[in-house]
Amino acid sequence: LVAIVILLIFIILRSVFSKIVIGRLKVLVKKSKTKIDDAMLEAFDGPLRFFPVVIGVYISTQYLNLNTTLELFAANLNRSLITIQIFWFLYKVIDPISSFIHKLGELLTNDLIDWGVRILKFFIFVIGAAAVLEIWGIKVGPILAGLGLLSVAVALGAQDLFKNLISGILILLEKRFQNGDWIKVENIVE
């Protein structure tokens, strides 16, 4: 009962934390001349609101006297929540950094930068999911090996698709076309 009360207190503190701490951080950040810190704080809004819940779960599970199995479950739960918190921060930091890269992007087109950002977000999500699975004792290595073999089989079967994908990336790198351009090929395809 005490552990539930502790968890409820931290859930209530979550809204107080978000109003006071995040509100004060927003005031401080608005005083700066750069916009990247505004974007970073906005991106971190969700993970920062989740932080008191992680602390509340940790403190409430530490308060309980559990048997060995439940203690292992509580430890795995705490490690999983901390891992999720870390990878959520990493996932959210990509957007402000990508907006900064868009401003410096003379070498790459905006479409290619957006595509790279999506791939990076996907990889962070997959690595975070793999880390959480490893915490719970699920071996990710054999799963990745099986996916690797499956991807080789798919790559052999879909060679034309990958050739076209690489050609599309090269077209984006050469900056021949932009979003919204109207392209006509040999008076057949538009």
Side-chain angles (χ1 to χ4, degrees):
L1 186 63
V2 173
I4 292 172
V5 170
I6 291 172
L7 185 60
L8 289 175
I9 288 171
F10 274 93
I11 289 173
I12 293 169
L13 282 176
R14 174 184 173 205
S15 62
V16 172
F17 177 80
S18 66
K19 287 180 183 174
I20 294 173
V21 174
I22 296 174
R24 292 201 182 189
L25 283 174
K26 285 182 180 180
V27 169
L28 288 173
V29 166
K30 285 184 181 179
K31 291 179 181 178
S32 70
K33 295 178 182 177
T34 61
K35 296 292 181 189
I36 193 162
D37 54 356
D38 295 329
M40 286 283 222
L41 185 61
E42 186 176 323
F44 287 160
D45 190 39
L48 283 175
R49 290 177 194 266
F50 186 63
F51 187 67
V53 174
V54 173
I55 293 174
V57 169
Y58 178 77
I59 292 174
S60 63
T61 56
Q62 293 300 316
Y63 180 78
L64 295 173
N65 291 327
L66 302 171
N67 63 17
T68 312
T69 306
L70 289 177
E71 188 174 322
L72 180 64
F73 177 80
N76 286 343
L77 178 67
N78 289 327
R79 282 185 276 178
S80 297
L81 288 175
I82 292 169
T83 304
I84 289 169
Q85 181 77 40
I86 291 169
F87 279 97
W88 194 5
F89 271 116
L90 290 175
Y91 183 85
K92 295 298 271 185
V93 79
I94 293 172
D95 286 330
I97 290 174
S98 70
S99 66
F100 184 69
I101 292 172
H102 275 289
K103 293 177 184 173
L104 301 175
E106 295 175 4
L107 178 64
L108 304 173
T109 63
N110 287 337
D111 298 328
L112 195 58
I113 292 171
D114 290 339
W115 197 65
V117 165
R118 287 185 194 130
I119 290 174
L120 186 60
K121 281 185 172 184
F122 175 75
F123 279 129
I124 287 176
F125 178 79
V126 168
I127 291 170
V132 171
L133 288 175
E134 284 285 338
I135 288 171
W136 289 97
I138 299 171
K139 298 297 178 196
V140 179
I143 296 171
L144 291 177
L147 288 175
L149 289 174
L150 180 66
S151 66
V152 168
V154 169
L156 289 174
Q159 288 180 6
D160 290 337
L161 173 74
F162 288 110
K163 287 178 189 175
N164 291 335
L165 180 67
I166 292 170
S167 298
I169 292 171
L170 290 175
I171 288 172
L172 287 174
L173 281 173
E174 292 173 357
K175 296 184 181 181
R176 291 184 184 180
F177 309 112
Q178 299 294 327
N179 259 348
D181 289 349
W182 194 268
I183 302 167
K184 193 172 191 178
V185 180
E186 298 178 359
N187 292 325
I188 299 172
V189 179
E190 290 188 23

